[in-house]
Amino acid sequence: MKKILLSAAFVALALMPAMAADVVELPVASTYNWTGFYLGAHVGGGKSKVDWEYSRNGATADHDGSGALGGVQAGYNFQSGNIVYGIEADIAAAKIDGDTSCPNPAYTCESDVKMLGSLRGRIGYTMDRLLIYGTGGLGYGTIEIGTSGPVGTNDTTKTKAGWTLGAGLEYAFNDHWSLKGEYKYFDLGKGDYTVDGGENVEAKVRIHTGVVGLNYKF
């Protein structure tokens, strides 16, 4: 009987590691690496705030605008531990427009952001396939400022440079494809524009954007 019990004990001891391995799953280290070049596309919307002042008499026609945008982006990431940093450029066609009555109510004062782009640094913290990041750098856009009224439309279009800041989340759902959501604020500064009757207007344009994007990492 003792021999049988000892034999059973030895068998049980021999099987314990295998049984424990089946019951307990040890955590697996992160396998995803964000380092590399990527290309992608994005779509979303924006809201503009336009501070409008006539140079001749200081009259104002401040107003807000809203609309859609969509474009492409490219960048490169480096990963060191849980820190991811890199650079990204993007450009988008936009239709973010707004208007209000001019000081002369026979006219409507209008703005239209036709294009937005940026060249930015990115830095963030990754938890395997999830990346939380901040971003900032050069922002630029094409802006149309004009008036419409009894004698038609008179407007000026300029491309203005300024700065942008933002933040986002990005999730890699396989080794190549990732999905992101991103917010950016653009300050494109002040510019001089010619509108109705040769009047000169100083307009300051700021824009909030929110987009979703899809990236492919090579």
Side-chain angles (χ1 to χ4, degrees):
M1 178 63 71
K2 288 183 179 181
K3 289 183 179 180
I4 294 173
L5 291 173
L6 287 171
S7 298
F10 281 122
V11 170
L13 288 170
L15 290 175
M16 279 180 66
M19 293 170 65
D22 288 339
V23 174
V24 179
E25 293 184 3
L26 296 177
V28 179
S30 171
T31 59
Y32 188 76
N33 192 297
W34 290 86
T35 298
F37 174 74
Y38 61 89
L39 288 171
H42 61 272
V43 65
K47 290 185 176 294
S48 63
K49 182 172 180 59
V50 179
D51 295 338
W52 175 307
E53 182 178 342
Y54 281 91
S55 301
R56 179 174 58 86
N57 57 13
T60 61
D62 300 348
H63 61 272
D64 298 334
S66 62
L69 70 150
V72 295
Q73 68 270 355
Y76 196 95
N77 287 322
F78 300 89
Q79 182 170 346
S80 177
N82 291 99
I83 303 301
V84 175
Y85 58 96
I87 190 167
E88 181 175 288
D90 62 56
I91 189 167
K95 181 63 175 174
I96 303 172
D97 56 359
D99 61 69
T100 190
S101 295
C102 293
N104 178 351
Y107 289 85
T108 300
C109 293
E110 304 167 333
S111 66
D112 189 0
V113 179
K114 295 177 171 291
M115 180 272 289
L116 278 175
S118 66
L119 177 63
R120 298 167 283 107
R122 294 204 317 171
I123 185 166
Y125 184 86
T126 180
M127 293 169 280
D128 195 12
R129 293 182 178 273
L130 178 65
L131 174 65
I132 304 169
Y133 64 89
T135 185
L138 170 70
Y140 58 93
T142 299
I143 305 158
E144 181 181 89
I145 297 291
T147 54
S148 60
V151 294
T153 300
N154 192 341
D155 56 53
T156 305
T157 301
K158 289 187 174 182
T159 298
K160 295 284 295 176
W163 55 270
T164 182
L165 284 174
L169 293 171
E170 188 167 356
Y171 182 78
F173 49 88
N174 63 34
D175 288 344
H176 295 288
W177 291 101
S178 61
L179 183 69
K180 73 172 183 177
E182 183 176 83
Y183 162 81
K184 291 199 295 290
Y185 170 80
F186 289 81
D187 187 330
L188 301 183
K190 294 181 179 180
D192 293 320
Y193 302 85
T194 302
V195 295
D196 58 285
E199 290 272 11
N200 186 68
V201 166
E202 184 179 73
K204 180 175 182 178
V205 180
R206 289 154 288 173
I207 307 151
H208 300 268
T209 66
V211 303
V212 292
L214 189 66
N215 286 328
Y216 182 85
K217 182 168 75 75
F218 293 86

